[in-house]
Amino acid sequence: MNSAPSSSMVRLLEETCPRALDLAEDGAPRDVRVFAAGTAAHAILEDWHKASITAQRPLTQQETGEIVARTIASLAIEGRTFRGNREPALPADCVLEGADLAQGYLRAVGYVLPIGALPEHDLTVNHRWEPCRPDDPDALWRATVDRVALTRDDEDEDGADTIVVSDYKTAWSDRENKIESLQLRGQLLVVFAHAPDLWPEAYPTQGRREIINLRTFGTYAETIDLADPSLDDWRAQIAGISAAFPRRPKAGQRDALPGLHCAACPYRNVCPASRYGDAASLSAQIEELTDALKTAKADEPAASPGYQQTAKREPSPTAAIELLARAAPELRDERVNSLINDLLNVTGIKRAAKRLANPGEDPDAIAEALLVSTPSARWSAS
């Protein structure tokens, strides 16, 4: 079954291969350990949100604790149901980590929801940007929104309504850099298309995209007029991505492209083509990893999963000479310079700069002038 593309499916394709899309559409069991803590935090917040709506009042800390306890037990023992498919139970430690994230956030906001906020919504639009089912042949884009709300500015004479789409994040690095993402743009456009059904008596004129970081408690937002021409550009961009998205053949499957990325695929344990854990392919994996590790030691960027290139600081070739000129100008022996350069490190330079700075000089500026940046390639799971 072909379902409408979404930002999560696009990311799955980017990080794995087309066959993973088939497994996702078929509801194949995922390796939930890949994102267990985040899954637990989202599930707890969704259950708390629904309970708050049912109570029609803010829940107390004790009531919230009882909801969290029930959700924890369900996730760790039974697993959760995602888009109609039952998933395996989550590791208990990951569930507790997710609970800590969710409860920490709720304490920070005082266990209060924005007025009129609705819990997780799974919405789809067709090519005319009208609401439709995910399996509609004309489906264009699908968005799962963690929280949607409609707010009104009481100080505005016109009482302008604002659509608010909020996305919970659990990575330390998720900040305003995610506001202009495909995910948040798509969410706002899809919710806007569904607004007449969600809020029949409202006439929203503005849209607000929010990133809520559950680790830092930071909220990063951007508001845009819903008549802004940029929204037409966003629609055209999403339509282009949807058109290029690989569709499943009527009879058959999308291509499987096994490789190094299999190790990070959430369907690695059920995919027949996966290279992950297949003893027969270990030699090929070792050879592939060897090439990747050689690349990781080089200074040039590598277009491979898990690769990160950062800058590391180290002493400049003239650092010893310049420090000696301050400390003991008479020692201008090249052998002394070479020896000190071999012994110098970043911490040593900073300490020396503090001791040798003249009155009125900034030690940090001295140290900075004696350091250079060099690329440092490395691999990680993030």
Side-chain angles (χ1 to χ4, degrees), residues 95-366:
V95 172
L96 294 180
E97 181 185 352
D100 288 342
L101 292 173
Q103 287 182 286
Y105 168 70
L106 292 176
R107 280 194 298 272
V109 299
Y111 304 96
V112 176
L113 273 172
I115 296 174
L118 303 173
E120 184 172 295
H121 268 60
D122 185 17
L123 306 170
T124 307
V125 294
N126 59 25
H127 285 75
R128 295 178 299 281
W129 288 91
E130 300 168 342
C132 70
R133 292 175 51 84
D135 56 354
D136 188 311
D138 193 39
L140 172 74
W141 198 252
R142 185 177 187 178
T144 301
V145 191
D146 291 335
R147 191 177 78 195
V148 298
L150 187 78
T151 63
R152 174 165 293 173
D153 185 355
D154 295 330
E155 297 179 1
D156 190 321
E157 294 180 358
D158 299 327
D161 293 324
T162 300
I163 293 173
V164 183
V165 296
S166 304
D167 192 65
Y168 299 125
K169 297 294 186 184
T170 56
W172 288 101
S173 59
D174 287 337
R175 299 177 181 271
E176 60 275 1
N177 59 318
K178 298 293 184 180
I179 291 292
E180 297 299 339
S181 66
L182 172 67
Q183 180 186 28
L184 267 290
R185 289 182 176 186
Q187 287 181 355
L188 178 59
L189 292 173
V190 171
V191 172
F192 183 27
H194 282 261
D197 296 329
L198 295 172
W199 306 286
E201 298 180 2
Y203 298 93
T205 58
Q206 292 185 314
R208 175 181 167 94
R209 292 159 288 153
E210 283 187 346
I211 291 291
I212 299 174
N213 191 309
L214 300 180
R215 293 192 187 274
T216 66
F217 307 146
T219 297
Y220 309 93
E222 186 73 36
T223 300
I224 188 170
D225 193 301
L226 292 175
D228 191 304
S230 297
L231 269 65
D232 288 332
D233 294 337
W234 296 359
R235 292 186 182 96
Q237 292 163 2
I238 287 176
I241 292 172
S242 178
F245 194 76
R247 292 318 198 258
R248 191 170 188 171
K250 290 184 177 179
Q253 296 176 307
R254 296 179 178 92
D255 291 337
L257 305 173
L260 196 60
H261 48 261
C262 290
C265 179
Y267 300 101
R268 61 193 181 191
N269 294 330
V270 294
C271 178
S274 175
R275 294 258 296 271
Y276 178 79
D278 181 1
S281 68
L282 281 178
S283 59
Q285 290 185 51
I286 291 172
E287 184 175 331
E288 198 169 347
L289 282 169
T290 300
D291 291 340
L293 290 172
K294 287 179 180 177
T295 304
K297 297 290 287 182
D299 289 345
E300 296 79 15
S304 302
Y307 177 86
Q308 297 183 21
Q309 182 165 298
T310 57
K312 65 177 181 180
R313 305 289 276 161
E314 60 184 30
S316 70
T318 61
I321 296 174
E322 296 188 37
L323 286 174
L324 278 172
R326 289 176 173 271
E330 68 277 6
L331 293 178
R332 292 192 174 276
D333 189 302
E334 184 58 36
R335 292 170 300 173
V336 175
N337 293 337
S338 177
L339 174 62
I340 294 178
N341 249 353
D342 289 340
L343 298 175
L344 275 179
N345 56 30
V346 174
T347 301
I349 285 182
K350 290 181 177 180
R351 288 177 178 171
K354 287 182 179 180
R355 293 182 179 180
L356 300 174
N358 295 318
E361 281 190 299
D362 182 1
D364 291 336
I366 295 174

Side-chain angles (χ1 to χ4, degrees), residues 28-106:
R30 300 185 297 172
D31 186 348
V32 293
R33 294 171 298 177
V34 175
F35 29 64
T39 297
H42 280 71
I44 289 168
L45 289 172
E46 182 181 359
D47 288 352
W48 173 83
H49 194 153
K50 291 177 178 177
S52 298
I53 292 176
T54 300
Q56 295 185 333
R57 60 171 174 79
L59 299 180
T60 65
Q61 183 173 353
Q62 180 178 346
E63 290 171 325
T64 297
E66 292 170 357
I67 293 168
V68 172
R70 289 196 297 270
T71 306
I72 285 176
S74 174
L75 293 172
I77 297 173
E78 302 170 1
R80 71 162 185 164
T81 299
F82 180 71
R83 291 183 175 173
N85 300 305
R86 172 64 71 177
E87 293 186 336
L90 299 174
D93 287 345
C94 294
V95 172
L96 294 180
E97 181 185 352
D100 288 342
L101 292 173
Q103 287 182 286
Y105 168 70
L106 292 176

